[in-house]
Amino acid sequence: MLKKIVVAAYVGTACFLMSFAPKITSNDRTQHNKIQEQSIDITWQVLANMNASLQVMSNYGNIIKENVHGKKIKVSGFVIPIDSKSYVLSKNVYSHCFFCSTSAGAETILGIQFKSKPPRLKTDTYISLEGTFFYNDKNSDDWKFSILNAVITHKK
């Protein structure tokens, strides 16, 4: 009997406190969805900070997954062809990129998976992309950071 009274008191208190919670309208949900759909501008410094933090803190990969992984991003850089069908985006031009330079780390490149067949891109073409950020912590033979469903938004 005492348990029933305690449970009833908790339920009554919870209902009373919930009555003070703000009402969420459909307009609020629409604004929240628009905010989530907006792209995050990712700079190369942000990627460098992520990479450095991954080396220092073992759980930082989980933080990346919670905050950036799967989110829509915008990023700009230089195109470097890997083969006839695939490209990476680089912070630096080809002569100073991750593959040729000893001073550039893995955080200076971003794998690209285009949404549709990409146009033929020349080496060192500066482009801006919009797509979904992907953090790879499973396959060491693939890019650590990638942009999926990428669309070229600006090309110089």
Side-chain angles (χ1 to χ4, degrees), residues 44 47 51 55 89 98 104-111 143-145:
W44 294 105
L47 289 176
N51 194 54
Q55 294 173 0
L89 194 67
F98 171 72
E107 72 280 358
T108 62
I109 56 170
L110 191 66
W143 311 112
K144 186 181 286 187
F145 305 118

Side-chain angles (χ1 to χ4, degrees), residues 32-75:
H32 180 69
N33 289 341
K34 285 181 183 177
I35 291 170
Q36 284 185 329
E37 291 174 7
Q38 290 179 348
S39 297
I40 303 168
D41 287 327
I42 296 287
T43 64
W44 294 105
Q45 186 60 47
V46 169
L47 289 176
N49 291 344
M50 283 184 194
N51 194 54
S53 296
L54 283 167
Q55 294 173 0
V56 176
M57 299 181 337
S58 60
N59 67 339
Y60 195 72
N62 296 331
I63 295 169
I64 292 173
K65 285 182 178 179
E66 290 173 8
N67 296 304
V68 187
H69 180 79
K71 302 278 195 258
K72 197 171 185 180
I73 64 164
K74 291 179 188 177
V75 64

Side-chain angles (χ1 to χ4, degrees), residues 7-27:
V7 170
Y10 278 126
V11 170
T13 305
C15 290
F16 174 73
L17 292 174
M18 286 177 18
S19 68
F20 293 108
K23 304 283 188 229
I24 297 175
T25 64
S26 61
N27 189 28

Side-chain angles (χ1 to χ4, degrees), residues 113-154:
Q113 187 180 71
F114 286 99
K115 188 173 188 172
S116 58
K117 186 177 177 185
R120 188 168 172 93
L121 298 168
K122 293 183 179 180
T123 303
D124 292 341
T125 302
Y126 190 82
I127 63 172
S128 297
L129 296 173
E130 193 169 301
T132 306
F133 184 80
F134 179 77
Y135 166 63
N136 172 28
D137 62 345
K138 304 280 188 236
N139 185 356
S140 61
D141 293 332
D142 203 356
W143 311 112
K144 186 181 286 187
F145 305 118
S146 296
I147 183 167
L148 308 178
N149 299 317
V151 176
I152 298 173
T153 58
H154 189 271

